[in-house]
């Protein structure tokens, strides 16, 4: 066991993958000499050389497009997109090429590409440095999408993502980079990029599903609710595509109430998918309509106002009250709220 | 191209001198004043960041000549599209000091109304604005006007696909646009040699666009190059690519630590080519920088900095509900409902004991 921050855990996972597989190569802006703007790749270029850790020119489409070529040639590229909001120049390569190559070639060509994305808000950043673009990718068949939430799963999941023969979008909650935790560096890999959600806290009254940075908020909510005698079950999705619904459905069959939380906008978000799928599976068990606690349907606002956009503990507790039919901000308001 | 050496000596150039024939000592003193003032703004903003009043600041230290001389060559009806670092350009276009920092205080997404100073909100997505300038130029062309669109961008930006596509469009339509690339030698930690093995000006030529490489720390050379490009664009000659060779003497932003990647000797080398020192030397050698003028410039710089500081600190946090403003131009019922709900949600806190 080692005590690591989430960011160091990702770095340790990258290092481990590079040590065990010579085909693993890293590409990204400022990831070499600087070690990345978040220092995730610190020291890797010094140890593995410039052929395996490439500082790339400023061209996101080329980072991903070149990874496609490297994958064609048998490599296992790990791309860093410097910030969530700069993935869009690479969108075409990801959606039109990376996601479909295996399908198009009838399985002949594999795309074991990992795309690391420092992700989400809450850090007081400039525009385009706080986006939550995950739903664009969960909507795209052929991609796996995962989101880590603590040092242990960050370490294990980056290794699984790299080992996966499918392309994986790996979202890293920036505002949890400094979160510390015990990491078992020998924890077994599941053999495929994480396809399982995880019950973090068992509870009986409401099922709260979260991922990424909001997992911590959900844990805080469970602790706060407990003080009021309410028992929350917290589930970390970990994998956003595919989603492992079994633990969630089992939970909702017991609690009858579901709250899903994310920073990303409401409309067309992962929360919508979870609510629909769980309603399909658990309709007759539901005691109340599922509740989504999410960012608003707005562009990410100036950082001084970001606390009004991304859900915090109070917003989540309010959503939990709503699911429980207790007085809450939506009481007496239309479904639009 | 260089008309003023780093030591401040005037170099004659039969080709370029005619373009700056009217630039007398009085005009040079104006450029000098601008450069000193923007450096003071830059220093003050850096200090404000260190003191926690700004979230971040991208210093332009060392790039004053490239930005001031090019911006001062423009007409007010020209339209400018820049990146985040062109704060001296914004100052010359007429942005108030506080408007330069409000975005970096994270209280607004734009410091000014773009139409008020004919300058777009500075772009954060590297290279994207070059396409916007090109499109704006197509509009000027369609209107039969003789204004010019100017795109400012960095050396790193030249690698983005958007910039290549902008050059393709501009060349294809002979659009009245000037591509003003400040090669400050670094894109965060990446040296310009990673973006190109040759000169950046060759990028322009490669797309069939007349291109120039100028000493970006030389106000006269930058003035000449910009005027040539503007003249070509106004007279139907199409786009020009200018590579202004300069240097980012500070960090990428206040969040950056350049000692991790930049050889200290390189910075020392460029200190000797400081654009302000150079103009100072030239004007002094001509006895055209008297003490009373220097004192006046210092006073303007200090009062501008004071205005900036006071304005910055007085900037209020955004109203919570303002985050729902301006998402759409036309009414959007779902968003209105969301705003209503959020207002109601906030009221709940007021009502709480
Ligand atoms: C599309 C995109 N990718 C990455 C970034 C992150 N980033 C911000 S500034 C920068 C370097 C830009 O270098 P350059 O174009 O030379 O401009 P300079 O900062 O030197 O003025 C990078 C990579 C970004 N803002 N946009
Ligand atoms: Mg640069």
């Amino acid at each position: 066991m080692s005590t690591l921050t989430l960011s160091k855990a990702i770095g340790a996972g990258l290092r481990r993958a590079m040590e065990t597989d010579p085909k693993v190569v890293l590409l990204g802006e400022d990831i070499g000499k600087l070690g990345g703007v978040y220092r995730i790749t610190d020291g890797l270029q010094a140890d593995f050389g410039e052929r395996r850790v490439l500082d790339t020119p400023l061209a996101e489409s080329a980072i991903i497009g070149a990874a496609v070529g490297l994958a064609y040639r048998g490599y296992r590229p790990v791309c860093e997109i410097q910030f969530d909001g700069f993935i869009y120049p690479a969108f075409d390569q990801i959606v039109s090429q990376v996601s479909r190559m295996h399908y198009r070639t009838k399985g002949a060509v594999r795309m074991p590409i990992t795309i690391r994305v420092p992700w989400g808000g809450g850090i007081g950043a400039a525009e385009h440095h706080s986006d939550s673009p995950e739903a664009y990718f969960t909507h795209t068949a052929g991609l796996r999408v995962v989101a880590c939430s603590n040092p242990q799963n960050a370490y294990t999941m980056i290794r699984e993502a790299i080992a996966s023969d499918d392309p994986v979008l790996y979202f890293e909650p920036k505002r949890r980079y400094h979160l510390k935790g015990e990491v078992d560096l020998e924890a077994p890999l599941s053999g495929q990029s994480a396809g399982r959600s995880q019950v973090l806290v068992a509870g009986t009254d409401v099922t709260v599903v979260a991922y990424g940075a909001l997992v911590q908020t959900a844990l805080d909510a469970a602790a706060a609710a407990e003080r009021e005698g309410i028992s929350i079950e917290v589930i970390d999705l970990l994998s956003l595509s595919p989603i492992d619904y079994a633990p969630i459905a089992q939970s909702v069959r017991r609690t009858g109430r579901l709250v899903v939380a994310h920073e990303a906008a409401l409309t067309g978000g992962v929360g919508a998918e979870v609510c629909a799928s769980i309603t399909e599976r658990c309709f007759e068990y539901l005691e109340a309509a599922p509740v989504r606690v999410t960012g608003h349907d707005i562009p990410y606002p100036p950082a001084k106002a970001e606390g009004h956009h991304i859900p915090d503990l109070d917003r989540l507790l309010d959503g939990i009250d709503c699911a429980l039919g207790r007085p809450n901000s939506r009481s007496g308001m239309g479904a639009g709220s | 191209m260089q008309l003023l050496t780093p030591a401040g000596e005037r170099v004659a150039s039969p080709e370029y001198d005619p373009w700056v024939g009217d630039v007398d000592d009085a005009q040079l003193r104006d450029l000098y004043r601008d450069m000193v003032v923007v450096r003071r703004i830059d220093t003050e903003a850096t200090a404000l960041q260190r003191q926690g009043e700004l979230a971040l600041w991208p210093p332009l230290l060392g790039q004053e000549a490239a930005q001031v001389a090019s911006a001062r060559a423009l007409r007010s009806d020209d339209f400018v599209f820049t990146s985040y670092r062109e704060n001296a350009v914004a100052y010359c276009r007429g942005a108030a000091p506080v408007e330069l920092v409000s975005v970096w205080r994270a209280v607004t997404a734009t410091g000014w109304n773009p139409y008020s100073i004919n300058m777009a909100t500075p772009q954060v997505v590297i290279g994207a604005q070059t396409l916007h300038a090109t499109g704006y130029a197509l509009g000027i062309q369609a209107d039969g006007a003789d204004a010019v669109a100017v795109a400012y961008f960095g050396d790193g930006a030249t690698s983005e696909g958007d910039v290549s596509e902008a050059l393709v469009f501009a060349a294809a339509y002979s659009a009245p646009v000037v591509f003003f690339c400040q090669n400050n030698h670094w894109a965060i930690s990446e040296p310009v040699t990673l973006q190109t093995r040759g000169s950046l000006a060759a990028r322009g030529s490669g797309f069939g666009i007349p291109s120039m490489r100028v000493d970006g720390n030389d106000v006269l050379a930058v003035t000449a190059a910009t005027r040539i490009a503007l003249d070509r664009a106004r007279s139907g000659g199409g786009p020009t690519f200018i590579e202004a060779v300069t240097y980012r003497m500070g960090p990428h932003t206040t969040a950056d630590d350049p000692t991790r990647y930049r050889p200290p000797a390189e910075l020392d080398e460029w200190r000797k080519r400081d654009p302000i020192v150079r103009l100072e030397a030239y004007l002094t050698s001509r006895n055209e920088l008297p003490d009373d003028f220097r004192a006046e410039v210092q006073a303007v710089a200090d009062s501008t900095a004071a205005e900036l500081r006071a304005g910055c600190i007085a900037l209020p946090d955004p109203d919570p509900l303002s985050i729902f403003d301006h998402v759409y131009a036309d009414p959007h019922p779902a968003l209105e409902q969301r705003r209503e709900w959020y207002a109601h949600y906030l009221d709940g806190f007021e009502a709480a004991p």
Side-chain angles (χ1 to χ4, degrees):
Chain A
M1 283 285 184
S2 317
T3 307
L4 294 179
T5 58
L6 191 151
S7 61
K8 290 273 185 242
I10 299 169
L14 291 170
R15 177 175 290 277
R16 180 73 174 265
M18 294 190 79
E19 281 164 358
T20 45
D21 184 349
K23 294 292 188 189
V24 173
V25 293
L26 273 49
L27 299 86
E29 296 161 5
D30 303 290
I31 67 166
K33 199 154 192 189
L34 184 64
V37 293
Y38 284 106
R39 310 289 187 263
I40 307 291
T41 53
D42 198 15
L44 295 178
Q45 190 182 61
D47 294 345
F48 295 97
E50 294 184 3
R51 294 242 175 248
R52 292 191 65 197
V53 181
L54 281 73
D55 264 330
T56 68
L58 267 59
E60 290 75 15
S61 181
I63 292 172
I64 304 299
V68 169
L70 281 161
Y72 242 102
R73 181 74 190 178
Y75 282 84
R76 216 165 258 282
V78 183
C79 305
E80 175 176 305
I81 297 295
Q82 195 163 82
F83 283 92
D84 36 51
F86 306 133
I87 199 167
Y88 310 116
F91 196 68
D92 174 56
Q93 285 292 333
I94 298 172
V95 169
S96 304
Q97 308 302 333
V98 173
S99 71
R100 306 167 172 225
M101 200 63 80
H102 192 256
Y103 187 73
R104 181 187 295 151
T105 63
K106 301 186 191 298
V109 179
R110 298 199 167 171
M111 288 286 124
I113 298 172
T114 301
I115 303 173
R116 291 184 37 237
V117 190
W119 163 63
I123 56 164
E127 199 184 353
H128 310 293
H129 293 71
S130 301
D131 278 16
S132 292
E134 62 269 22
Y136 298 126
F137 302 104
T138 59
H139 195 67
T140 302
L143 302 174
R144 293 178 187 269
V145 182
V146 302
C148 60
S149 62
N150 66 40
Q152 179 69 65
N153 62 38
Y155 174 77
T156 303
M157 283 163 61
I158 190 67
R159 295 180 61 205
E160 287 172 342
I162 296 170
S164 171
D165 281 341
D166 288 322
V168 180
L169 272 288
Y170 179 92
F171 284 99
E172 307 172 1
K174 291 193 282 283
R175 65 177 152 130
R176 305 293 184 216
Y177 270 151
H178 298 299
L179 186 71
K180 270 196 187 149
E182 292 290 298
V183 179
D184 176 1
L185 297 172
E186 302 309 324
L189 306 187
S190 74
Q192 56 152 0
S193 179
R196 70 269 186 256
S197 45
Q198 194 184 357
V199 178
L200 295 180
V201 177
T204 51
D205 296 331
V206 182
T207 304
V208 174
V209 172
Y211 57 90
L214 285 190
V215 169
Q216 203 55 46
T217 313
L219 292 173
D220 294 344
E226 195 181 0
R227 290 193 285 275
E228 290 190 42
I230 297 164
S231 167
I232 306 279
E233 181 141 311
V234 178
I235 299 181
D236 184 349
L237 274 187
L238 293 171
S239 174
L240 315 185
S241 180
I243 290 174
D244 172 22
Y245 284 112
I248 308 171
Q250 270 169 26
S251 176
V252 171
R253 284 190 192 112
R254 279 187 288 105
T255 63
R257 299 173 198 276
L258 173 66
V259 175
V260 189
H262 53 66
E263 285 183 33
L266 176 82
T267 300
V270 169
E273 191 57 38
V274 172
C275 289
S277 296
I278 290 300
T279 303
E280 284 165 0
R281 286 168 172 79
C282 307
F283 183 67
E284 59 276 27
Y285 295 86
L286 284 171
E287 311 264 0
V291 175
R292 286 172 289 166
V293 179
T294 71
H296 310 297
D297 286 338
I298 60 173
Y300 202 86
K304 277 275 171 67
E306 67 184 337
H308 290 287
H309 176 53
I310 57 182
D312 59 4
L313 177 60
D314 287 329
R315 288 256 291 276
L316 189 48
L317 289 172
D318 179 67
I320 289 167
D321 282 340
C322 180
L324 282 165
R326 293 169 24 129
N328 70 89
S329 69
R330 299 167 213 230
S331 309
M333 295 198 76
S337 60
Chain B
M1 189 225 300
Q2 187 182 68
L3 299 176
L4 272 185
T5 69
E9 286 148 8
R10 182 74 163 83
V11 190
S13 160
E15 191 183 352
Y16 297 111
D17 282 348
W19 290 95
V20 289
D22 63 311
V23 182
D24 56 13
D25 292 319
Q27 282 195 44
L28 284 174
R29 274 197 301 271
D30 286 343
L31 291 170
Y32 175 81
R33 183 193 295 106
D34 284 340
M35 285 164 53
V36 171
V37 171
V38 297
R39 183 167 288 188
R40 188 75 179 78
I41 288 173
D42 202 53
T43 314
E44 194 68 17
T46 300
L48 283 164
Q49 194 282 332
R50 300 286 181 230
Q51 293 154 6
E53 297 294 343
L54 297 179
L56 192 73
W57 178 253
L60 67 93
L61 185 70
Q63 301 178 220
E64 294 85 355
Q67 295 192 17
V68 166
S70 58
R72 285 300 184 206
L74 306 178
R75 281 192 340 216
S76 64
D77 64 335
D78 295 332
F79 205 102
V80 178
F81 294 83
T82 74
S83 88
Y84 44 83
R85 203 181 298 285
E86 278 72 61
N87 288 297
V89 174
Y91 171 79
C92 293
R93 295 301 283 169
V98 67
E99 293 177 333
L100 302 176
V101 296
S102 51
V103 164
W104 303 103
R105 196 172 164 85
V107 298
T108 173
T110 190
W112 55 84
N113 176 339
Y115 296 113
S116 68
I117 56 172
N118 281 350
M119 173 168 171
T121 302
Q123 181 58 247
V124 173
V125 178
I126 302 296
Q129 75 278 15
T130 57
L131 287 163
H132 309 162
T134 303
Y136 192 96
L138 294 179
I140 292 172
Q141 198 174 43
D143 290 344
D146 73 343
V148 178
V150 184
Y152 284 84
F153 52 103
D155 46 292
T158 60
S159 295
E160 292 284 358
D162 277 4
V163 175
S164 287
E165 294 180 25
L167 295 171
V168 168
F169 261 52
Y173 299 112
S174 218
V177 52
V178 176
F179 294 99
F180 193 92
C181 176
Q182 286 169 89
N183 173 2
N184 67 3
H185 285 80
W186 292 93
I188 310 186
S189 74
E190 300 187 339
V192 62
T193 47
L194 185 65
Q195 319 294 339
T196 179
R197 286 297 175 95
S199 80
L200 293 173
R203 285 282 159 89
S205 317
F207 287 94
I209 293 175
S211 301
M212 283 182 277
R213 190 161 201 261
V214 302
D215 185 332
N217 287 4
D218 170 350
V219 275
L220 275 179
V222 174
T223 301
T226 312
R227 286 177 170 187
I228 291 169
L230 292 169
D231 183 66
R232 179 179 292 130
R234 290 196 212 291
S235 54
T240 303
F241 187 105
I242 298 172
E243 176 188 359
V245 182
T246 178
Y247 195 74
R248 194 195 80 202
M249 288 167 70
H252 170 68
T253 65
T254 46
D256 176 42
D257 173 13
T259 62
R260 287 180 71 102
Y261 54 82
R262 178 157 75 181
E266 188 184 279
L267 179 59
D268 292 341
E269 225 11 76
W270 279 92
R271 281 216 178 89
K272 296 181 197 147
R273 297 179 226 173
D274 185 304
I276 297 184
V277 172
R278 182 182 308 201
L279 184 55
E280 213 163 52
Y282 175 67
L283 287 171
T284 306
S285 73
R286 296 168 60 82
N287 281 325
E288 288 289 348
L289 209 59
D291 286 346
D292 57 342
F293 176 75
R294 281 168 178 271
E296 178 228 302
V297 169
Q298 201 46 55
V300 176
D302 288 343
S303 67
T304 308
E307 183 190 341
L308 170 70
R309 170 169 291 270
C312 171
I313 290 168
L315 280 172
D317 283 355
D319 175 69
L321 295 180
S322 70
I323 64 175
F324 298 98
D325 292 344
H326 311 302
V327 181
Y328 300 93
D330 291 333
H332 191 292
L335 190 61
E336 280 314 310
Q337 271 183 351
R338 181 79 176 191
R339 182 211 298 266
E340 264 170 53
W341 162 67
Y342 194 64
H344 181 66
Y345 170 83
L346 290 178
D347 286 347
F349 289 90
E350 306 262 305

